[in-house]
């Protein structure tokens, strides 16, 4: 087992909604993230997958301090980060950086590429102006862009090139962890493969740990060594990549994987497609017990326990973690 860099325990993020009562507090909350736990080791890639709206991006933003957690713990090599102020967070920004989903919105259109790449170094008072310029040139080269692009503006680049600039900016402070929030979902398919291969190359070169959020399970299988599956703000299964894809334990994971098409038409024709009932419940008013039980095709095998008792994410066979009464 490699060194544990990041430990997330019982993380929750609830957003207030509705009117404020006589107490001055909101009367309702949207439970975007509710009791999420996982860890991340040095040099590994942990994939975080699930349907849209399940809380993946909110989890990432709470981990990196862009959202203040409602409850829970986020530790970087044993140091608690969950309740630090913005000023206290500053030295830890060098250890964790984020690659955002939209390369068109995540770059300042009024700054040149050089200014964008030098800004983190200026904020953290790293090097002199000449050193920062040399570092910016080296970053462009590392992500496969011509260093002569330093004086251009973001609107002069394609989407794939902009995302490479975003990756270069995230690498500027030489972090240990990169949080990748669907970094290829806004790109053309042909460009996605180039960016994914770049991320793999950078991980090997700099020994980076990735928390990789994605919808595309094929990308997750290619890049990640472990996978965590989220449903309605909770992690329902965590397992090694091959273990999860070949023998999923949770009914939701099985349904999710059954929706992934296979390249071989003969194999695709013989596969079972698990179609879930109804829609995803609202995180404003989640169901009692197991949050997946209203749609679960296996709930009749367990009975009333599914609707009355929330399962705990505990270790099962072979280092797999699953939150399901079927596994008890």
């Amino acid at each position: 087992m490699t060194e544990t860099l990041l430990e997330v325990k019982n993380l929750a993020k609830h957003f207030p909604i509705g009117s404020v009562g006589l107490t001055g507090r909101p009367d309702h909350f949207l439970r975007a993230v509710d009791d999420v736990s996982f860890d991340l080791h040095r040099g590994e890639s942990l994939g975080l997958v699930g349907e849209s709206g399940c809380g993946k991006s909110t989890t990432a933003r709470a981990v990196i301090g862009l959202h203040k957690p409602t409850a829970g713990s986020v530790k970087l090599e044993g140091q608690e980060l969950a309740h630090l102020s913005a000023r206290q967070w500053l030295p830890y920004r060098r250890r964790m950086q984020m690659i955002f989903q939209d390369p068109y919105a995540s770059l300042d259109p009024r700054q040149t590429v050089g200014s964008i790449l030098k800004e983190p170094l200026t904020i953290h008072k790293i090097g002199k102006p000449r050193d920062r310029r040399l570092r910016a040139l080296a970053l462009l080269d590392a992500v496969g862009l011509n260093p002569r692009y330093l004086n251009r503006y973001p609107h002069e680049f394609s989407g794939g090139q902009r995302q490479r600039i975003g990756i270069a900016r995230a690498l500027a402070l030489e972090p240990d962890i990169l949080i990748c929030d669907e970094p290829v979902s806004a790109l053309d398919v042909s460009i996605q493969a180039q960016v994914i291969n770049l991320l793999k190359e950078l991980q090997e070169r700099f020994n980076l740990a990735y928390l990789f959020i994605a919808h595309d399970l094929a990308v997750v299988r290619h890049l990640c060594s472990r996978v965590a599956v989220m449903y309605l703000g909770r992690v329902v299964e965590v397992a090694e990549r091959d273990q999860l894809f070949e023998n999923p334990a949770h009914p939701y994971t099985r349904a999710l994987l059954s929706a992934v098409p296979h390249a071989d038409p003969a194999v695709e024709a013989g596969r079972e497609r698990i179609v879930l009932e109804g829609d995803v419940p609202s995180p404003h008013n989640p169901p009692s017990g197991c949050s997946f039980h209203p749609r679960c095709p296996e709930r009749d095998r367990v009975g009333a326990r599914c609707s009355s008792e929330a399962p705990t994410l505990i270790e099962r066979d072979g280092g797999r973690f699953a939150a399901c009464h079927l596994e008890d």
Side-chain angles (χ1 to χ4, degrees):
M1 180 68 69
T2 56
E3 175 189 358
T4 299
L5 279 177
L6 184 68
E7 295 178 88
V8 178
K9 300 294 182 186
N10 309 117
L11 183 68
K13 178 59 183 176
H14 301 164
F15 293 97
I17 57 175
S19 60
V20 176
L22 295 176
T23 62
R25 298 177 180 177
D27 53 3
H28 296 289
F29 289 88
L30 188 147
R31 298 174 177 269
V33 176
D34 203 13
D35 196 25
V36 165
S37 299
F38 60 84
D39 52 26
L40 181 65
H41 306 290
R42 186 178 294 278
E44 82 157 344
S45 297
L46 174 66
L48 193 58
V49 303
E51 293 172 278
S52 294
C54 71
K56 304 184 299 297
S57 294
T58 304
T59 297
R61 289 172 176 268
V63 166
I64 205 169
L66 297 180
H67 290 322
K68 195 170 186 64
T70 303
S73 170
V74 178
K75 291 183 178 180
L76 180 63
E77 290 190 323
Q79 174 63 48
E80 181 61 63
L81 307 179
H83 306 293
L84 297 183
S85 66
R87 182 179 295 275
Q88 292 170 326
W89 248 105
L90 190 61
Y92 300 103
R93 297 287 182 205
R94 296 184 62 174
R95 305 286 306 279
M96 284 197 293
Q97 287 288 302
M98 192 163 184
I99 302 170
F100 295 92
Q101 177 179 357
D102 187 355
Y104 293 89
S106 61
L107 301 178
D108 187 344
R110 297 186 178 185
Q111 291 193 55
T112 64
V113 170
S115 297
I116 289 170
L117 298 183
K118 289 185 288 185
E119 186 176 33
L121 304 173
T122 303
I123 292 172
H124 289 269
K125 300 179 173 62
I126 298 173
K128 297 179 179 180
R130 174 178 171 79
D131 299 325
R132 294 167 190 164
R133 177 179 173 81
L134 292 174
R135 175 65 176 159
L137 291 169
L139 287 167
L140 285 178
D141 183 66
V143 298
L145 292 177
N146 193 321
R148 289 183 295 179
Y149 293 166
L150 203 65
N151 295 319
R152 294 189 180 183
Y153 288 86
H155 72 269
E156 300 180 72
F157 296 92
S158 67
Q161 289 174 321
R162 291 189 193 198
Q163 195 61 293
R164 288 174 184 264
I165 295 168
I167 294 170
R169 178 180 59 185
L171 292 173
L173 298 174
E174 300 181 350
D176 296 313
I177 299 172
L178 284 187
I179 297 179
C180 308
D181 187 8
E182 300 190 43
V184 298
S185 63
L187 306 177
D188 293 339
V189 174
S190 59
I191 305 301
Q192 288 183 12
Q194 296 176 19
V195 174
I196 290 298
N197 289 333
L198 172 64
L199 289 172
K200 284 183 69 71
E201 176 188 330
L202 292 172
Q203 182 177 37
E204 294 171 1
R205 180 175 173 183
F206 299 114
N207 196 29
L208 295 166
Y210 289 156
L211 176 59
F212 191 86
I213 298 167
H215 284 111
D216 192 333
L217 294 177
V219 170
V220 170
R221 189 167 194 174
H222 177 68
L223 185 68
C224 300
S225 53
R226 285 193 303 138
V227 183
V229 181
M230 284 190 70
Y231 182 81
L232 204 64
R234 292 175 176 264
V235 172
V236 297
E237 184 170 358
V238 184
E240 298 294 329
R241 173 190 58 204
D242 293 339
Q243 185 182 38
L244 183 132
F245 277 89
E246 294 170 9
N247 185 28
H250 197 280
Y252 175 66
T253 308
R254 290 196 285 271
L256 204 62
L257 293 178
S258 78
V260 180
H262 198 280
D264 186 337
V267 175
E268 177 66 19
R271 293 172 66 241
E272 178 188 4
R273 176 73 168 90
I274 301 174
V275 180
L276 298 178
E277 302 174 357
D279 298 320
V280 180
S282 170
H284 172 216
N285 185 27
S288 61
C290 174
S291 57
F292 184 58
H293 88 266
R295 307 176 71 199
C296 181
E298 306 285 345
R299 64 180 181 270
D300 292 339
R301 293 174 55 189
V302 179
R305 189 181 178 193
C306 284
S307 59
S308 61
E309 180 184 340
T312 304
L313 186 72
I314 59 176
E315 187 170 2
R316 313 292 178 168
D317 60 298
R320 179 205 306 271
F321 290 79
C324 182
H325 294 309
L326 284 171
E327 298 292 311
D328 292 348

